[in-house]
Amino acid sequence: TIGIFLASMGELKTLKDCGSGQCQAEPSEAMDSAVDVGTWLIGIGMLAFVQLLQGFLGHVQSTYYRIYKDLAPKNELCDEFLFTSHVIALLPLFFLKDDIMAAAESAWLSEPLPLVPVPSRVAWLLVNNVSQTICLKGVFRTSATVSPLALTIILSVRKFLSVVVSIMLFSNPWTIQHSFATVLIFGGAFAYSQAPDVKVDKEVKSE
C-alpha cells in the first residue's frame, strides 16, 4: 500500500512539474496539466480505501469457498461469486442512468473505424469489456487457490506494473518516488514468497 502511495505521489510530482512549466510540453499544455493537490490526495485516499476493501473482500471470498466447498468445485464457486457480485453492482448504476445514456449516445455517434463500419468508441468499449472479463476471471480463479493476503500482493504488483508500462509507453518521467515504490512493492512480494508455510510446520509438529 505504501509503495502504491509513493508511485501515485511520483505521478503527482511529474504533473506538478508540467504545471509549473518544467516539462517538455508546450506552455498551453503545461498550464492545462496543473494539478490540484487536494483533489489528487482525495483520489489517493480512495485508492487506499479500495486496497483495504479489497483485502476485506478477499477474506469474504475465502470464507465463502470454505463454507460451500462441499457443494461444488472451487472453479464453479468462483464463477458464481463473480456473476452474483457484478449483478448486484449493477443496481446502483440506476441512479446514473441519465449519464450512462448520454455517454452511450456519444459513443454511438463517434467516428467509425477505418475498416469496419462500427463506431470507434463502441469498438473500444467492447475490447475493454473482453479484456476486463479475462482479467476478472483470472482474479476470481486465483482467489480460489491462494490466501487473501497472497491475492492482495499479486494485485498490488499488477497495479504497479501497469504504472510502469504506462511510463514506458508514454515516456513519462521516472521519479525517486517510483524507485522507492519499486523496492517496497517487489521487495515485499519477494519477502512474502520466501516466508515459511505455517500449515506445513504445524503438520510436521503434529506428526
Side-chain angles (χ1 to χ4, degrees), residues 46-58:
M46 294 174 65
L47 288 175
F49 174 75
V50 168
Q51 284 285 102
L52 297 175
L53 184 61
Q54 174 182 294
F56 170 74
L57 291 177

Side-chain angles (χ1 to χ4, degrees), residues 1-8 44-45 47-52 54 152-153 156-157 181 184-185:
T1 301
I2 295 176
I4 294 177
F5 174 80
L6 288 176
S8 302
I44 294 178
L47 288 175
F49 174 75
V50 168
Q51 284 285 102
L52 297 175
Q54 174 182 294
T152 301
I153 293 176
S156 298
V157 172
L184 289 173
I185 293 174

Side-chain angles (χ1 to χ4, degrees), residues 188-198 201:
F190 176 76
Y192 177 78
S193 67
Q194 299 302 307
D197 192 344
V198 178
D201 293 342

Side-chain angles (χ1 to χ4, degrees), residues 89-188:
L90 291 175
L91 299 179
L93 296 181
F94 173 78
F95 301 101
L96 301 174
K97 61 181 184 301
D98 294 335
D99 294 334
I100 294 174
M101 293 300 297
E105 183 179 358
S106 176
W108 188 255
L109 296 176
S110 61
E111 296 182 359
L113 295 175
L115 302 178
V116 184
V118 176
S120 56
R121 292 184 184 178
V122 174
W124 282 115
L125 179 62
L126 293 175
V127 171
N128 181 66
N129 284 338
V130 172
S131 63
Q132 289 293 323
T133 301
I134 296 173
C135 177
L136 289 171
K137 267 284 212 187
V139 170
F140 276 75
R141 289 293 177 92
T142 304
S143 69
T145 58
V146 301
S147 67
L149 178 57
L151 179 65
T152 301
I153 293 176
I154 292 171
L155 294 179
S156 298
V157 172
R158 179 187 64 82
K159 291 174 185 176
F160 182 70
L161 285 177
S162 66
V163 174
V164 174
V165 171
S166 175
I167 290 174
M168 296 176 61
L169 288 179
F170 300 104
S171 301
N172 293 324
W174 183 273
T175 66
I176 188 65
Q177 285 91 343
H178 290 114
S179 299
F180 280 120
T182 302
V183 173
L184 289 173
I185 293 174
F186 288 104

